[in-house]
């Protein structure tokens, strides 16, 4: 640094390393995030496909002997998955999907690539910190993957890592904690960058109430990441202390493990972990959903050719949602024996937080009213998001009331609830985003035909996976159960497991159409008709394609709100933000 | 080709340059980190049958000395920034080096304290009081160490940076100062909570 200052060398053509691996350009970093996150999504999906075999056919040998022998005796004995391995798969599926898949794709990839373009900025406020954020994420991913190979295997105490179980788990748990520290660092660096960029770097004329809704969603998301993750980091540090230095933050006195008294000082409190964890993890679920809502809002406005219905209510709702998400966390803990005062408070806040969710959903649905909708592939995915998120949100209400939650807690109903929000919800929205912004990134369109096949198959099978979960859960089947036929009530709904498993495997097949489409279209896709093939209004379409380093040829200036579609008396049915008239 | 605006000059509306805005956000997250740990402390203490009085177990005079060291270092930090503001690079160098030196002295005193505890077989695993004591002070110590490393780096590049872009240089010291004051502030909380209450 004493002689070099990279920012001042921007005009030189960067070498291979700087250009593709250690780039500070938000677009390259966004693409790096996208590729890595998609890999992790596939990997996490693969883990759960293994589990789906055990759930559909408990105790039957695995049908692919080659894979079974590859996994080895420590994980599968004569083709039958061991319970310990089952637990590893479950814990790591959740961890990978949330922290290494969906969030990095929704925030790291889409946020990084699109947000600076939409606000008319040349880059993020801190390009090198942006790069560091990606590499911290990458290292966190490596640590998590590596944990599968340590003695005893990967973490196996669920993505929630509840003590005392997690405290006494094998070494993989230590790796999990260290991996999380990297991931938390990454999202901390990222969120600082996002907020600073949105506040400081907006183009001339782009006031806050002219921001595209996607930017608002990223803005609130960044605040959630900034403020909610540190308590989990604190919790992680305490659990690391417990595991490495023998403290008892989460271990009560007199704990007996395997018939023997645990030799620790005791005096700790397992509930402390739950409080710290859910203080993060409830805001985290909004981190999973808000960017998806942002993407869907952009696509709906663009394909209905109308302004969004209720832009301001949308914005106020998302702000209110962000704020409220910090005071509902204990609805995950209703059965921990909290008093009625506590539970009343958290039931009330949980009911209150559903209001802005409903407002957002309603605004988006009313936006469709009377529109001549263009059924493009991104629009199909965006439309499907609405009912899927609706199911996910509505099924959350019974969970938010303690009396019904006592019955439903820790059953497949909960799994169904949150998957409806995150999988048929957020994932479909993320696909929508890929199809929508692909032409900006590559200058080519993705194939309509393959896209439609991908859409319909995904929609059908993803519901095939998750819809039956509600029925299993209401029948009493608990989550994290290695053999669902252990109990009589599980046997009754066991046939559903076979339906769900086949749906999951077919869902995987459906993704082949997506992958082929993605790779094929990068090189061979139909050329986009212009820099703005969707006739959109927001600033990302005002750049050359793909946008060069520095993004805009001349600093853009903004004259309108984000969704000036079908303005009466104009030749075209859209008025870009940067066109004065 | 567009350049990133407000890297050095303040934004006309927010009144701060990017770096300063960033450091404030970072400190907000740090408040949440230490806030969570303090909450953990409260919860553990409220849940405990007995809780020792910190002054009975810990070395209050040494901690008082350390408090003085850190407060002084915050003062020298401000002086170093103020010196740059009036274009006195020599004075900046003196005050900034003093800040680093005082930080180091803090760590040395702290390590003597730790050493004495270990000698008497008091470890994080001894009981919940020592567990939270070592965790909180350890994490704070790491923050001090981090600050010292960054400050040393800033000092080592100060001359060339000053010659090239004095305003940018002054901004950096301001940001480093904000962080340093925060670390100082955390200690101001830790000291009474752990040693006196
Ligand atoms: C809209 C209103 C919503 C309400 C009222 C609600 C309520 C709840 C409640 C009470 C639980 C705890 C259930 C239990 O463990 O017994 C829960 C679990 C969960 N929710 Fe929601 N939720 C809502 C929306 C969302 C959204 C938007 C997401 C994410 C994108 C989400 C993700 C989750 C996750 C991941 C869990 C389970 C965590 C676990 O135990 O592993 N929820 N929800
Ligand atoms: Cu929640």
């Amino acid at each position: 640094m004493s002689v070099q200052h990279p920012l001042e060398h921007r005009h030189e053509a960067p070498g291979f390393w700087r250009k593709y691996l250690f780039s500070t350009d938000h677009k390259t970093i966004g693409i790096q995030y996208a590729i890595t996150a998609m890999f992790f999504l596939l990997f996490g999906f693969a883990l759960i496909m293994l589990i789906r075999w055990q759930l559909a056919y408990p105790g039957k040998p695995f049908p692919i002997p080659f894979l079974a022998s590859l996994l080895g005796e420590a994980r599968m004995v004569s083709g039958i998955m061991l319970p310990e391995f089952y637990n590893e798969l479950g814990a790591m599926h959740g961890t990978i999907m949330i922290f290494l898949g969906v969030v990095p794709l929704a925030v790291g990839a889409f946020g990084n690539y699109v947000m600076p373009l939409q606000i008319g900025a040349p880059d993020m406020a801190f390009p090198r910190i942006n790069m560091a954020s990606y590499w911290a994420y990458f290292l966190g991913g490596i640590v998590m993957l590596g944990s599968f190979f340590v003695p005893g295997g990967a973490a196996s105490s669920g993505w929630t890592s509840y003590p005392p179980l997690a405290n006494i788990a094998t070494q993989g748990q230590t790796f999990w904690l260290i991996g999380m520290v990297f991931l938390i660092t990454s999202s901390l660096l990222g969120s600082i960058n996002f907020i600073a960029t949105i506040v400081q770097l907006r183009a001339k004329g782009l006031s806050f109430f002219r921001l595209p809704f996607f930017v608002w969603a990223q803005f609130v998301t960044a605040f959630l990441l900034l403020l909610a993750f540190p308590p989990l980091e604190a919790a992680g540090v305490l659990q690391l202390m417990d595991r490495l230095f023998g403290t008892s933050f989460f271990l009560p006195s007199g704990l007996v493990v395997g018939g023997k008294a645990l030799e620790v000082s005791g005096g700790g409190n397992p509930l402390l972990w739950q409080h710290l964890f859910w203080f993060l993890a409830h805001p985290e679920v909004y981190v999973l959903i808000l960017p998806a809502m942002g993407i869907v809002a952009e696509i709906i406005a663009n394909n209905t050719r109308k302004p969004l219905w209720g832009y301001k209510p949308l914005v106020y709702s998302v702000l209110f949602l962000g704020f409220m998400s910090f005071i509902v966390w204990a609805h995950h803990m209703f059965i921990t024996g909290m008093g009625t005062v506590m539970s009343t408070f958290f039931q009330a806040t949980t009911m209150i937080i559903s209001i802005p969710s409903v407002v957002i959903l309603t605004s988006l649905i009313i936006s469709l009213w009377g529109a001549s909708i263009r059924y493009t592939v991104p629009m199909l995915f965006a439309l499907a998001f609405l009912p899927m998120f609706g199911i996910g949100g509505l099924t959350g209400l019974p969970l938010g009331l303690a009396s019904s939650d006592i019955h439903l807690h820790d059953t497949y109903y909960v799994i169904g609830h949150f998957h409806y929000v995150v999988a048929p919800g957020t994932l479909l929205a993320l696909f929508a985003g890929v199809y929508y912004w692909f032409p900006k990134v590559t200058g080519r369109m993705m194939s309509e035909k393959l896209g439609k096949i991908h859409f319909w198959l995904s929609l059908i099978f993803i519901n095939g996976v998750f819809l039956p979960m509600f029925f299993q859960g209401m029948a009493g089947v608990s989550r994290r159960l290695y053999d669902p036929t252990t109990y009589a009530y599980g046997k009754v709904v066991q046939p559903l497991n076979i339906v769900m498993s086949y749906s999951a495997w077919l869902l995987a097949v459906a993704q082949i159409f997506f992958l082929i489409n993605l790779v094929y279209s990068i090189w061979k896709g139909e050329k986009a008709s212009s820099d703005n093939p969707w006739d959109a209004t927001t600033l990302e379409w005002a750049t050359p394609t793909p946008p060069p380093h520095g993004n805009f040829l001349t600093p853009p200036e903004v004259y309108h709100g984000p969704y000036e579609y079908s303005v009466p008396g104009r030749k075209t049915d859209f008025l870009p933000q940067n066109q004065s008239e | 080709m567009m350049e990133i605006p407000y890297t050095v000059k303040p934004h006309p509306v927010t009144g701060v340059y990017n770096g300063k805005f960033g450091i404030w956000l970072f400190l907000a997250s740090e408040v949440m980190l230490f806030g969570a740990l303090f909450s953990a402390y409260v919860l553990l203490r409220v849940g405990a049958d007995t809780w020792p009085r910190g002054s009975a177990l810990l070395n209050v005079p040494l901690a008082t000395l350390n408090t003085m060291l850190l407060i002084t270092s915050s003062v020298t930090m401000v002086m170093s920034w103020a010196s740059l503001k009036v274009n006195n690079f020599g004075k900046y160098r003196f005050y900034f080096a003093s800040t680093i030196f005082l930080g180091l002295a803090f760590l040395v005193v702290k390590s003597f304290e730790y050493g004495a505890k270990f000698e008497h077989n008091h470890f994080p695993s001894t009981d919940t009081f020592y567990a939270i004591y070592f965790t909180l002070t350890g994490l704070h110590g790491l923050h001090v160490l981090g600050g010292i490393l960054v400050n040393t780096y800033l000092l080592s590049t100060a001359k060339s940076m000053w010659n090239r872009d004095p305003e940018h240089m002054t901004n950096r010291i301001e940001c480093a100062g904000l962080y340093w004051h925060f670390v100082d502030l955390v200690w101001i909380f830790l000291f009474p909570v752990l040693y006196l209450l």
Side-chain angles (χ1 to χ4, degrees):
Chain A
M1 255 306 263
S2 51
V3 281
Q4 284 254 334
H5 190 221
L7 282 182
E8 286 158 16
H9 287 246
R10 295 161 62 99
H11 302 287
E12 288 169 23
F16 172 82
W17 293 96
R18 272 237 158 263
K19 189 157 179 208
Y20 294 108
L21 277 176
F22 297 102
S23 168
T24 54
D25 187 309
H26 73 102
K27 298 180 295 297
T28 311
I29 295 171
I31 292 170
Q32 289 175 320
Y33 260 114
I35 294 171
T36 320
M38 283 198 224
F39 163 77
F40 277 113
L41 282 177
L42 273 179
F43 185 76
F45 190 21
L47 299 185
I48 213 67
M49 283 195 283
L50 293 179
I51 277 196
R52 284 304 335 167
W53 174 265
Q54 163 68 19
L55 287 175
Y57 304 106
K60 293 234 183 77
F62 203 67
I64 312 173
F66 163 72
L67 196 59
S69 61
L70 192 72
L71 288 169
E73 292 280 299
R75 303 186 178 95
M76 281 198 181
V77 174
S78 48
I80 299 169
M81 180 183 293
L82 293 174
E84 290 79 8
F85 185 49
Y86 178 93
N87 285 342
E88 277 175 53
L89 291 176
M92 294 310 285
H93 164 73
T95 306
I96 287 173
M97 285 311 214
I98 292 178
F99 296 111
L100 290 159
V102 173
V103 175
L105 189 55
V107 180
F110 282 112
N112 244 316
Y113 197 100
V114 177
M115 183 274 284
L117 295 177
Q118 284 195 331
I119 64 167
D123 204 318
M124 286 283 197
F126 312 110
R128 273 173 296 164
I129 288 182
N130 204 14
M131 175 179 83
S133 157
Y134 171 76
W135 286 105
Y137 158 61
F138 187 83
L139 286 177
I142 297 288
V143 172
M144 291 290 187
L145 287 181
S147 72
F148 279 99
F149 301 101
V150 301
S156 53
S157 314
W159 81 282
T160 53
S161 282
Y162 276 11
L165 206 55
N167 270 30
I168 56 175
T170 54
Q171 241 180 55
Q173 182 63 25
T174 306
F175 274 71
W176 188 91
L177 291 164
I178 293 169
M180 285 308 291
V181 170
F182 278 108
L183 296 178
I184 293 169
T185 308
S186 159
S187 71
L188 173 68
L189 298 176
S191 57
I192 291 176
N193 226 331
F194 275 55
I195 299 172
T197 304
I198 295 173
V199 172
Q200 300 274 102
L201 265 51
R202 292 188 321 281
K204 191 161 169 235
L206 189 54
S207 61
F208 267 92
F209 276 107
R210 285 177 174 176
L211 286 176
F213 187 64
F214 178 79
V215 176
W216 273 110
Q218 292 286 344
F219 189 57
V220 175
T221 301
F223 269 104
L224 298 184
L225 288 173
L226 181 76
L227 301 177
F229 252 129
L232 180 65
E233 181 150 34
V237 168
L238 297 181
Q239 199 176 88
L240 266 180
M241 290 294 290
D242 275 8
R243 292 181 56 88
L244 298 179
F245 296 100
T247 58
S248 301
F249 289 117
F250 302 123
L251 295 174
S253 309
L255 204 63
V256 177
V257 175
K260 276 207 275 294
L262 211 57
E263 276 185 44
V264 294
S265 62
N269 184 350
L271 284 187
L272 173 60
W273 170 270
Q274 295 195 21
H275 280 296
L276 293 173
F277 182 84
W278 288 115
F279 188 84
L280 154 87
H282 186 85
E284 176 79 10
V285 309
Y286 287 94
V287 170
L288 295 168
I289 197 71
L290 295 184
M293 291 171 165
I295 293 172
V296 167
E298 296 301 301
I299 294 173
I300 285 188
N302 178 253
N303 287 285
T304 54
R305 317 303 295 163
K306 290 200 317 171
L308 282 179
W309 190 87
Y311 170 82
K312 279 205 174 168
L314 277 169
V315 170
Y316 289 127
S317 295
V318 81
L319 289 170
F320 185 58
L321 207 61
F323 171 75
M324 286 300 291
S325 71
F326 283 99
I327 46 171
V328 298
W329 78 90
H331 66 206
H332 295 269
M333 302 167 60
F334 282 139
I335 64 161
T336 55
M338 62 173 76
T340 45
V341 176
M342 276 265 273
S343 93
T344 308
F345 174 78
F346 284 104
Q347 291 179 73
T349 54
T350 304
M351 291 305 116
I352 293 171
I353 201 176
S354 357
I355 297 170
S357 310
V358 172
V359 171
I360 292 175
L361 192 59
T362 314
S363 282
L364 292 177
I365 292 175
I366 298 182
S367 298
L368 305 175
W369 194 266
S372 49
I373 297 173
R374 294 195 313 209
Y375 290 98
T376 59
V377 177
M379 186 59 171
L380 290 177
F381 278 94
L383 285 175
F385 169 88
L386 301 176
M388 295 297 110
F389 173 69
I391 296 177
L394 288 179
T395 51
L397 295 179
L399 298 174
L401 297 168
S403 50
S404 38
D405 185 55
I406 288 170
H407 179 60
L408 297 170
H409 179 70
D410 264 355
T411 66
Y412 262 91
Y413 182 93
V414 176
I415 310 284
H417 154 66
F418 71 74
H419 277 93
Y420 256 92
V421 215
V422 187
T426 300
L427 276 184
L428 290 192
L430 293 176
F431 280 128
V434 172
Y435 286 100
Y436 183 63
W437 279 301
F438 189 86
K440 182 46 53 184
V441 180
T442 63
R444 290 171 189 274
M445 313 294 283
M446 287 177 80
S447 150
E448 281 276 318
K449 198 186 283 165
L450 288 174
K452 283 189 175 156
I453 299 176
H454 173 227
F455 169 72
W456 286 109
L457 293 181
S458 297
L459 185 65
I460 293 166
F461 292 125
I462 212 164
N463 278 288
V465 179
F466 297 116
L467 199 61
M469 289 187 178
F470 294 123
F471 301 104
Q472 291 191 325
M474 285 186 280
V477 180
S478 53
R479 66 195 286 192
R480 301 192 171 122
L481 202 55
Y482 166 66
D483 181 350
T485 58
T486 315
Y487 303 102
Y489 56 78
K491 285 209 181 87
V492 182
V493 286
Q494 177 60 15
L496 288 177
N497 266 331
I498 297 176
V499 177
M500 292 152 73
S501 291
Y502 275 97
S503 297
W505 299 324
L506 290 170
L507 182 60
V509 174
Q511 302 321 303
I512 294 174
F513 292 95
F514 173 71
L515 290 176
I516 291 177
N517 197 350
L518 191 72
V519 175
Y520 175 85
S521 306
I522 292 177
W523 287 282
K524 292 274 157 67
E526 184 197 330
K527 281 238 165 71
S529 54
S530 71
D531 286 335
N532 184 5
W534 306 113
D535 292 340
T537 49
T538 42
L539 283 182
E540 77 268 35
W541 304 102
T543 64
T545 308
H549 195 63
N551 294 343
F552 294 86
L553 298 179
T554 52
E557 195 172 338
V558 169
Y559 302 96
H560 327 273
Y563 307 115
E564 297 288 319
Y565 287 106
S566 306
V567 182
R570 279 186 58 87
K571 259 209 284 322
T572 55
D573 69 346
F574 66 106
L575 175 57
Q577 284 192 280
N578 61 330
Q579 275 181 24
S580 55
E581 231 357 283
Chain B
M1 172 69 82
M2 288 169 68
E3 292 287 342
I4 300 171
Y6 313 121
T7 47
V8 179
K9 296 280 179 214
H11 186 288
V13 176
T14 61
V16 288
Y17 51 90
N18 296 342
K20 192 162 165 184
F21 194 76
I23 202 85
W24 276 114
L25 291 170
F26 173 65
L27 293 183
S29 89
E30 291 279 279
V31 167
M32 294 303 287
L33 176 70
F34 281 98
L37 287 167
F38 273 112
S39 317
Y41 167 87
V42 172
L43 220 85
L44 289 169
R45 182 162 183 171
V46 169
D49 299 331
T50 58
W51 194 267
R53 195 164 255 288
S55 53
L57 298 179
L58 303 175
N59 193 328
V60 179
L62 274 189
T64 313
L65 171 64
N66 254 349
T67 311
M68 305 312 285
L69 288 175
L70 271 196
I71 291 179
T72 317
S73 79
S74 261
V75 175
T76 55
M77 191 59 147
V78 175
M79 300 297 284
S80 76
W81 176 66
S83 311
L84 286 181
K85 277 282 184 195
V86 294
N87 280 325
N88 191 335
F89 186 77
K91 260 199 174 159
Y92 148 77
R93 197 131 71 177
F94 167 75
Y95 283 122
F96 201 67
S98 314
T99 309
I100 295 173
F101 174 78
L102 289 166
L104 280 173
F106 173 90
L107 287 183
V108 169
V109 172
K110 197 78 221 155
S111 61
F112 275 115
E113 258 190 279
Y114 272 17
K117 291 288 166 292
F118 296 153
E119 248 169 55
H120 292 91
N121 278 326
H122 292 145
F123 297 103
S125 55
T126 304
D127 60 27
T128 315
F129 174 78
Y130 277 111
I132 196 88
Y133 163 75
F134 278 111
T135 308
L136 282 173
T137 54
L139 208 61
H140 175 259
L142 283 179
H143 276 78
V144 175
L145 185 64
I148 290 174
L149 290 177
V150 171
N151 289 350
T152 311
Y153 165 78
L154 288 177
L155 186 63
S156 72
T157 60
K159 189 75 200 162
S160 61
M161 181 96 195
W162 178 251
N163 291 337
R164 203 173 53 236
D165 190 348
E167 192 175 357
H168 198 170
M169 162 77 189
T170 312
N171 287 350
R172 283 191 171 184
I173 301 306
E174 188 181 17
C175 291
L178 286 172
Y179 172 80
W180 194 255
H181 300 322
F182 172 80
V183 173
D184 190 3
L185 192 70
V186 171
W187 178 258
I188 306 280
F189 275 97
L190 283 181
F191 174 50
V193 166
L194 292 173
Y195 288 81
L196 304 179
L197 289 177

